[in-house]
Amino acid sequence: MFKTIADPADCEMRSVIRFLNAKKVKPAEIHRQLVEIYGENVMTDGMVRKWVRQFNDGRTNVHDEARSGRPSVVNDGLVAKVNEKICENRRFTIRMLFDEFPQISKTVLHEIVTHRLNYRKLCSRWVPKMLTDVHKTK
């Protein structure tokens, strides 16, 4: 009996499909061997057939194609502008920032403030997460 490999990478299975396809193994047999080694949670027989077709059509890359996603509106200039607004008035709310930057959603503004600028709420003021002794005495 063979040792089962748990949680394989997609490109690993595609490499096996490409290898066995080059040896002229039928797609059904490829799928059977994948299930035997990788377990039941491996790709379906239809997906194996799809990849065999793509490799027969000349595809050589086993990695995913780059996808075009929604472009991010967050850039360094925007983060700097948000930081300037915060420094002007530490007692701001995300809603007040949204009024200043209506093109950006509240969720993205909250992400900029909390993750990019590392601020958190403290007694209705936004302060840096890492407080020094000087900050604590103020």
Side-chain angles (χ1 to χ4, degrees), residues 2 27 29 35 45 65 80 100-101 108 112 134:
F2 299 107
E29 177 61 20
V35 169
D45 186 48
E65 300 285 328
E100 296 288 329
F101 302 99
V108 173
I112 290 171
V134 176

Side-chain angles (χ1 to χ4, degrees), residues 17 21 27 30 45-59:
I17 293 169
N21 185 49
I30 293 173
D45 186 48
M47 286 301 293
V48 172
R49 291 177 190 282
K50 175 187 166 198
W51 279 102
V52 167
R53 255 190 325 272
Q54 287 185 14
F55 291 135
N56 287 338
D57 291 341
R59 180 174 177 150

Side-chain angles (χ1 to χ4, degrees), residues 41-92:
N41 294 333
V42 75
M43 68 174 64
T44 63
D45 186 48
M47 286 301 293
V48 172
R49 291 177 190 282
K50 175 187 166 198
W51 279 102
V52 167
R53 255 190 325 272
Q54 287 185 14
F55 291 135
N56 287 338
D57 291 341
R59 180 174 177 150
T60 58
N61 188 6
V62 295
H63 298 286
D64 290 327
E65 300 285 328
R67 297 182 185 174
S68 63
R70 188 173 190 175
S72 176
V73 295
V74 179
N75 56 34
D76 293 335
L78 178 64
V79 172
K81 288 179 187 177
V82 170
N83 196 25
E84 286 175 24
K85 287 293 180 186
I86 293 172
C87 291
E88 286 175 14
N89 179 14
R90 292 277 182 171
R91 294 177 187 260
F92 73 93

Side-chain angles (χ1 to χ4, degrees), residues 69-123:
R70 188 173 190 175
S72 176
V73 295
V74 179
N75 56 34
D76 293 335
L78 178 64
V79 172
K81 288 179 187 177
V82 170
N83 196 25
E84 286 175 24
K85 287 293 180 186
I86 293 172
C87 291
E88 286 175 14
N89 179 14
R90 292 277 182 171
R91 294 177 187 260
F92 73 93
T93 61
I94 298 296
R95 176 72 187 167
M96 291 167 60
L97 273 181
F98 180 69
D99 292 339
E100 296 288 329
F101 302 99
Q103 72 275 14
I104 304 166
S105 71
K106 292 177 196 163
T107 307
V108 173
L109 283 171
H110 188 268
E111 180 187 332
I112 290 171
V113 170
T114 57
H115 294 109
R116 296 286 294 266
L117 295 174
N118 290 324
Y119 285 109
R120 64 182 176 97
K121 270 288 203 193
L122 180 68
C123 297

